[in-house]
Amino acid sequence: MARKKENLPSKTCSTCGRPFQWRKKWKRCWDDVRYCSEACRAGRDKRDAQKAQ
């Protein structure tokens, strides 16, 4: 079942706050996806470490 691009679900990234849309590779884990990119996911550790200091 193909979806039109404008009908895809979207979320807001937990790190940068930008909106991002569903991707086929997230088909099975969409409920667990929190970050728009690998860079945001990796950057969260750096930000958390800075807050702790």
Side-chain angles (χ1 to χ4, degrees):
M1 179 170 118
R3 291 185 174 188
K4 292 191 177 187
K5 212 171 196 179
E6 57 270 356
N7 295 334
L8 295 175
S10 64
K11 291 185 178 183
T12 303
C13 179
S14 296
T15 303
C16 67
R18 295 182 198 163
F20 62 97
Q21 290 186 329
W22 181 89
R23 296 181 187 169
K24 188 174 182 178
K25 69 180 183 178
W26 293 331
K27 185 177 183 177
R28 293 188 181 112
C29 62
W30 176 244
D31 293 335
D32 300 327
V33 175
R34 295 177 48 202
Y35 307 101
C36 65
S37 66
E38 195 66 30
C40 279
R41 190 183 66 75
R44 71 158 197 239
D45 296 331
K46 293 175 188 173
R47 288 187 184 98
D48 290 345
Q50 288 175 349
K51 287 180 185 177
Q53 292 179 354

